[in-house]
């Protein structure tokens, strides 16, 4: 588990769980310009382990800004054909930015972790 307390009081928390061949990143807090670099580092570290599937669970994220979206795109590209990359998002806070940018058309988005694991 990792929690980054940044100078301005903003935090992003990432808990990494293994579920079979999948790595699940349970993310909470705000993902913005300040916290996105740490978020992206967690994503890339998880990919270095070469999981069959990487699930990014954004259900407890309070804000998803453009820097967070960029981090998701970077990790999605890094995953390539080796790792299935999936996002769990169910609130308008996280689903709406993915829809507005069209990323939900590129990156598979699921309403629950169970659905993402089932694929």
């Amino acid at each position: 588990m990792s929690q980054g307390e940044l100078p301005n009081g903003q935090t992003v928390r990432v808990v990494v769980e293994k579920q079979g061949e999948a790595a699940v990143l349970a993310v909470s807090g705000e993902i913005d310009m300040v916290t996105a670099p740490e978020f992206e580092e967690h994503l890339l570290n998880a990919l270095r382990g070469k999981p069959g599937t990487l699930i990014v669970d954004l259900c407890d994220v309070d804000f998803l800004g453009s820097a967070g979206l960029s981090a998701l795109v970077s990790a999605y590209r890094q995953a390539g054909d080796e790792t299935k990359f999936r996002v769990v998002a169910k609130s308008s806070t996280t689903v709406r930015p993915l829809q507005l940018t069209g990323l939900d058309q590129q990156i598979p988005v699921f309403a629950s972790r169970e659905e993402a694991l089932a694929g």
Side-chain angles (χ1 to χ4, degrees), residues 24-44:
V24 178
L25 270 64
V27 186
S28 59
E30 297 182 359
I31 307 173
D32 58 16
M33 271 182 14
V34 175
T35 60
E38 181 182 350
F39 172 58
E40 184 170 2
E41 188 58 35
H42 283 288
L43 292 169
L44 297 178

Side-chain angles (χ1 to χ4, degrees), residues 59-109:
C59 289
D60 292 326
V61 169
D62 301 319
F63 177 80
L64 179 60
S66 60
L69 295 171
S70 293
L72 285 172
V73 169
S74 176
Y76 174 72
R77 289 182 177 153
Q78 183 79 23
D81 294 331
E82 293 181 20
T83 300
K84 295 175 188 144
F85 191 89
R86 299 176 180 155
V87 171
V88 177
K90 60 183 176 183
S91 74
S92 61
T93 301
T94 52
V95 173
R96 190 96 171 111
L98 292 165
Q99 291 172 334
L100 288 172
T101 57
L103 287 178
D104 64 328
Q105 301 301 308
Q106 295 178 358
I107 300 172
V109 178

Side-chain angles (χ1 to χ4, degrees), residues 50-62:
K50 301 203 183 301
T53 303
L54 177 61
I55 296 172
V56 184
D57 187 342
L58 302 177
C59 289
D60 292 326
V61 169
D62 301 319

